[in-house]
């Protein structure tokens, strides 16, 4: 495996100016696969300069031509599907099905924004109805310029696609910084840019950590917009850096999403959705439905059905076909989740399933899938994002109580309503403070629907036409005719 000590700038692999290196781990084998450079602020200067040089020509291309590149980008990724899924699984600890979703959703996103790029041509110069006679107003959409994209480790291909695809469709040029924890899947994006002949400087990819690349990129005066996905702590630092020069930011941050199960729900079906909502990707999903609010009339049968399903989950080698749940992505993340489980013990939380119920595989950063019931709303496990396979549950006496508790969170990314009466489910969903509310389903994220949070879960929306608008500046030409 090649050492990742070169940056991708102007379609060339250039040695990083940084001297530090970090191990890139296989979280199942607990061994280093390779090393990645930590980066250097000078790398950022070089990449931003390349993106600035590439901007005029890329912006001047029509949307239809940019769409052509995006389609070829998607085709090239699809051709490498098996290899990329295995690479992602190896670096990330995802089981193959989860790595497949990461890649397939990314490919769907590149294709979707090819369509949006074409549509942009049609929308340019549209007449705006104005109340003043003899005056014509037309609306145009310009790219915001050079954009800095910063992504996390949990879904590397999809979180980068949600930014890169609309940014390229809009006519922006890009400096992309993958997480230093999972640089391997996103490295393929640079290889794809070369393969399809994307013009030099349109996509630059910088490996590194927060100090080496992330912070200097967020603060760079040549970066017109920063789009960040990650933790609240870093998101707030990115926003402060952008504020220094009044640059635009989009933030996709943490979550503590609720799943509400009403008394008329089918318990077995509800249990399937609850499991999908929290144990998928070992709970390392911003939109994991990690707070279960179940009507007291069906709480006991639901807990029983969940215990059966949790016991049936196969933890093992992410590359093996039979595995349902892989290890957490890093030793650091495992420590962080284990610290919450220690708090649960100190607080005396009642476990339906915890670590004592399961023998973990001998190797890998595994954490047992865990379910606590009757969790007080004051508990840190109820209030804070854990980002691991830990489900906290409470029973509620009414729909009103379920809605109130669901909304009593500083986050507002997603929510699920499980209810046999669809009209009632929609009524409940309308009251929830969340960017995505799944009605009798889980984790349904489609390119056409927006993605983003209320409250501290973020600012702005990705996906859909809103995801494109995030990279466009609206301009009106107005005057007498
Ligand atoms: P993180 O905030 O630690 O890191 C995210 C990225 O920021 C990484 O590339 C990191 O190198 C970089 N970074 C670190 N310090 C920086 C700095 N000072 N300035 C600029 N960049 C810096 O997050 P993580 O641990 O990689 O990911 C987990 C978090 O991401 C969770 O909180 C999760 O909820 C969130 N997340 C949100 C969404 C969403 O759509 N809302 C999606 C996925 C993950």
């Amino acid at each position: 495996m090649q050492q990742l000590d070169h940056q991708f700038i102007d379609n060339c692999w250039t040695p990083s100016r940084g001297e530090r290196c970090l191990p890139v781990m296989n979280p199942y084998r607990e061994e280093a696969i390779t090393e990645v450079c930590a980066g250097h602020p000078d790398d950022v200067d070089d990449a931003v300069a390349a993106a600035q040089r590439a901007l005029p020509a890329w912006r001047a291309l029509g949307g239809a031509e940019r769409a052509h590149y995006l389609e070829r980008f998607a085709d090239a990724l699809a051709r490498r599907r098996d290899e990329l899924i295995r690479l992602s699984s190896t670096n990330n600890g995802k089981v193959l099905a989860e790595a497949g979703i990461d890649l397939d959703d990314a490919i769907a996103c590149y294709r979707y924004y090819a369509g949006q790029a074409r549509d942009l041509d049609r929308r340019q110069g549209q007449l705006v109805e104005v109340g003043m006679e003899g005056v014509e107003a037309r609306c145009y959409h310009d790219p915001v310029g050079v954009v800095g994209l910063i992504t996390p480790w949990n879904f590397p291909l999809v979180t980068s696609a949600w930014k890169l695809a609309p940014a390229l469709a809009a006519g922006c040029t890009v400096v992309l910084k993958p997480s230093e924890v999972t640089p391997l899947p996103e490295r393929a994006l640079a290889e794809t840019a070369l393969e399809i002949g994307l013009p030099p400087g349109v996509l630059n990819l910088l490996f590194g950590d927060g100090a080496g690349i992330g912070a200097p990129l967020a603060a760079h005066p040549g970066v017109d917009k920063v789009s960040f996905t990650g933790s609240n702590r870093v998101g707030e630092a990115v926003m402060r850096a952008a504020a220094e020069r009044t640059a635009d930011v989009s933030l996709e941050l943490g979550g503590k999403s609720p799943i509400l199960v009403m008394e008329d729900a089918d318990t077995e079906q509800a249990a399937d959705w609850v499991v999908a909502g929290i144990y998928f990707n070992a709970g390392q999903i911003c939109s994991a439905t990690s707070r279960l609010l179940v009507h007291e009339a069906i709480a006991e049968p639901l807990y029983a059905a969940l215990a059966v399903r949790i016991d049936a989950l196969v933890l093992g080698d992410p590359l093996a076909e039979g595995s349902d749940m892989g290890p957490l992505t890093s030793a650091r993340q495992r420590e962080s989740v284990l610290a919450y489980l220690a708090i649960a013990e100190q607080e005396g939380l009642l476990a339906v399933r915890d670590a004592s119920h399961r023998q973990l595989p001998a190797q890998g950063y595994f954490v047992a899938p865990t379910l606590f019931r009757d969790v007080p709303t004051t508990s840190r496990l109820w209030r804070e994002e854990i980002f691991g396979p830990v489900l906290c549950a409470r029973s509620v006496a009414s729909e009103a109580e379920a809605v109130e508790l669901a909304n009593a969170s500083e986050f507002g990314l997603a929510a699920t309503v499980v209810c046999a009466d669809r009209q009632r489910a929609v009524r409940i969903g309308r009251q929830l403070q969340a960017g995505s509310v799944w009605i009798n389903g889980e984790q349904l994220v489609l390119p056409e629907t927006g993605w983003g949070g209320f409250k501290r879960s973020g600012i702005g929306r990705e996906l859909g036409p809103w995801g494109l608008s995030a990279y466009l500046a609206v301009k009106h030409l107005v005057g007498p005719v």
Side-chain angles (χ1 to χ4, degrees), residues 6-272:
H6 282 52
Q7 307 290 23
F8 185 70
I9 299 171
D10 246 342
N11 279 10
C12 295
W13 290 105
T14 315
S16 169
R17 314 272 196 99
E19 282 166 8
R20 285 182 300 130
C21 271
L22 309 161
V24 177
M25 299 297 290
N26 174 330
Y28 175 63
R29 303 225 170 267
E30 300 189 40
E31 63 189 24
I33 309 169
T34 180
E35 283 195 321
V36 65
C37 59
H40 189 277
D42 289 350
D43 298 342
V44 178
D45 286 343
D46 293 347
V48 171
Q52 284 174 325
R53 284 192 299 275
L55 183 62
W58 184 247
R59 179 169 49 195
L61 280 186
E65 273 192 73
R66 293 197 296 267
H68 194 51
Y69 281 109
L70 284 166
E71 270 158 2
R72 280 192 286 157
F73 205 88
D75 292 343
L77 290 175
R79 276 196 295 276
R80 293 177 64 185
R81 188 172 185 278
D82 289 348
E83 172 210 340
L84 291 179
I85 287 174
R86 292 184 74 79
L87 183 69
S88 168
S89 178
T90 305
N91 188 186
N92 200 290
K94 290 175 184 306
V95 298
L96 291 171
E98 293 163 348
I101 289 172
D102 189 30
L103 178 62
D104 292 342
D105 284 5
I107 291 170
C109 181
Y110 289 108
R111 293 203 200 290
Y112 172 76
Y113 280 107
Q116 288 286 309
R118 284 200 185 88
D119 194 50
L120 190 58
D121 283 346
R122 188 187 57 74
R123 284 162 55 205
Q124 295 290 16
Q126 274 182 349
L127 267 179
V128 178
E129 260 188 57
V130 292
M132 187 177 281
E133 223 166 283
V135 167
E136 184 186 275
R138 288 186 182 272
C139 181
Y140 293 85
H141 308 267
D142 285 0
V144 296
V146 172
V147 294
L149 312 180
I150 303 175
T151 57
W153 45 260
N154 63 329
F155 277 90
L157 290 171
V158 94
T159 50
S160 52
W162 291 1
K163 299 180 190 308
L164 181 58
L168 295 181
C172 295
T173 53
V174 171
V175 179
L176 168 66
K177 188 203 106 48
S179 166
E180 63 277 25
V181 180
T182 53
L184 290 172
E186 276 159 283
R187 186 182 198 278
L189 303 178
E191 293 157 0
T192 305
L194 278 178
E195 184 185 334
I196 67 161
L198 198 66
V202 169
L203 165 61
N204 306 278
L205 192 140
L206 296 182
F207 297 115
D209 61 9
I213 301 293
L217 180 61
H220 202 287
V223 173
D224 300 295
K225 173 178 181 129
V226 181
S227 180
F228 170 85
T229 298
S231 64
N232 279 70
R233 184 184 60 79
V234 177
E236 285 155 20
V238 165
M239 196 172 174
R240 276 193 294 275
E244 292 290 323
R245 60 183 196 286
T246 330
D248 189 12
V249 288
S250 294
L251 301 176
E252 298 289 348
L253 306 177
K256 191 73 190 177
S257 300
I259 174 164
L260 291 67
V261 182
M262 295 296 110
E263 67 278 17
D264 62 349
D266 177 284
T267 319
E268 296 298 318
Q269 176 67 81
D272 286 341

